[in-house]
Amino acid sequence: MKAHDGLYIDGAWRPAAHGDVIEVVNPADEQVIARVPAGDAGDVDSAVRAARAALPAWAATPPAERAARLTALRDVLVSRKDEIAETVTAELGSPLAFSQAVHAAVPIAVAGSYAELAATHSFEEKVGNSTVLHEPIGVVGAITPWNYPLHQIVAKVAPALAAGCTVVLKPAEDTPLTAQLFAEAVHEAGVPAGVFNLVTGLGPVAGQALAEHPGVDLLSFTGSTAVGRRIGAVAGAAVKKVALELGGKSANVILPGADLAKAVNVGVANVMSNSGQTCSAWTRMLVHRDRYDEAVELAATAAAKYGDRIGPVVNAAQRDRVRGYIEKGVAEGARLVAGGPEAPREKGYFVSPTVFADVTPDMTVAQEEIFGPVLCVLPYEDEEDALRIANGTVYGLAGAVWAADEAEAVAFARRMDTGQVDINGGRFNPLAPFGGYKQSGVGRELGAAGLAEYLQTKSLQF
């Protein structure tokens, strides 16, 4: 796997200002697999200048032509889907089958959806005696996480390009190879020079410089709520728009009468996918007390099957963080029914699939985002109690409701303070808005709502 030793700026790979590098480590075996440049504020400035220079022409490009470039990008990603999957597996540790089915396939679908939206979206409309124009907001600074490296990039870059914006991307330092592969795809798709730029680097250096840069009109960030707060403060001081997709502690509510076995098994799978490194994972399973013991037993049995099926977490710090939460759960009185803090393998950053029972809503493991393969099973007394528990965190990103009667599930979901709810195992929809309530973020990604984040409105009165 060959890594570029430069940054992608203004349509070409060029050396970073300094020789500092980031070592890319395979979390499954702890071996260094590549080194990439650690860009600094000067590199970010060069990238932003290139994006600003390219903005007028790209913003004036007809939507049909922008759609054609996005279609070409989608086609390149399709042609390189095996390489994408292998790259994600190497730097994230995701099992290859999951990388193929999710890490490669989902971004391709999202890129295709924005190619279609770019061609069909109405960028101007008549409202009474006014013509309302929806124009690109300008230069976008995109800071993306490591957990779904290509999906998070495409979910920001594709709508930005569809809107007529130019982009500077600072990807997570743990997964820069996927970002470099994406830059290659952008180049191959014929996107004009300067429209997309890539600066690999550390968050406190390159990320901070991008957030503070006066030439950036919108900052789109996905990551922790703590970092999101800091970015929001920096952007607020400059009166700069932000789109923040942050943490979650989503509730999986199983109402009386639901298919308990299906709800539990799907719920466990949801938490264990991607080694639990999913912001929208249903990490709190709420079950009526009458069937609580049965649900706990089902969850423990299901989790045990994932022992050799999930990959590692992304790095040593994340492994230690997750194990620390497991130890905290035990110390606060939660009962381990599967897994635990002990290392399941001698090599690699692995964490055992873990299930806690006897969890109370005020415990740390029920309130804070763990971001690992850890499920908490909580009992409730009635629907009002379930709703109180479900809404009882600072987060509101996603959730699920299971019921024998779909209407009952929908009625409960309408009362949940969260941005997205799956009903009886509803399928992922790349056109549905994704984003959170409360401290789970500001703004939306995917579909028309995601495109709207990168547009600003002007009205002409006649």
Side-chain angles (χ1 to χ4, degrees), residues 28 38 76 87 125 192 356:
V76 174
T87 301
E125 58 184 324
F356 277 116

Coordinates of all heavy atoms in Angstrom, one line a residue, residues 28 38 76 87 125 192 356:
A28 N -4.7 -3.9 14.1 CA -4.9 -5.4 14.3 C -3.6 -6.0 14.7 O -3.6 -7.0 15.5 CB -5.4 -6.1 13.0
A38 N 2.7 15.5 7.9 CA 1.9 16.2 8.9 C 1.9 17.7 8.5 O 2.8 18.5 8.9 CB 2.6 16.0 10.3
V76 N -15.4 6.3 -10.4 CA -14.1 5.9 -10.0 C -14.1 5.2 -8.7 O -13.3 4.2 -8.5 CB -13.2 7.2 -9.9 CG1 -11.8 6.9 -9.3 CG2 -13.1 7.9 -11.2
T87 N -7.9 -0.8 2.0 CA -7.2 0.3 2.7 C -7.8 0.6 4.0 O -7.1 0.8 5.0 CB -7.3 1.6 1.8 OG1 -6.6 1.3 0.5 CG2 -6.6 2.8 2.5
E125 N -36.0 29.7 -7.0 CA -37.4 29.5 -7.0 C -38.1 30.8 -6.9 O -37.5 31.8 -6.5 CB -37.8 28.6 -5.8 CG -37.3 29.2 -4.4 CD -37.6 28.3 -3.2 OE1 -38.7 27.6 -3.3 OE2 -36.8 28.3 -2.3
P192 N -11.9 20.1 -11.3 CA -10.9 21.1 -11.6 C -10.0 21.4 -10.4 O -10.3 21.2 -9.2 CB -11.7 22.4 -11.9 CG -13.0 21.9 -12.3 CD -13.3 20.6 -11.6
F356 N -23.5 -5.1 29.8 CA -23.7 -4.9 31.2 C -25.2 -5.0 31.4 O -26.1 -4.5 30.7 CB -23.4 -3.4 31.5 CG -21.9 -3.2 31.8 CD1 -21.1 -2.4 31.0 CD2 -21.3 -3.8 32.9 CE1 -19.8 -2.2 31.3 CE2 -20.0 -3.6 33.2 CZ -19.2 -2.7 32.4

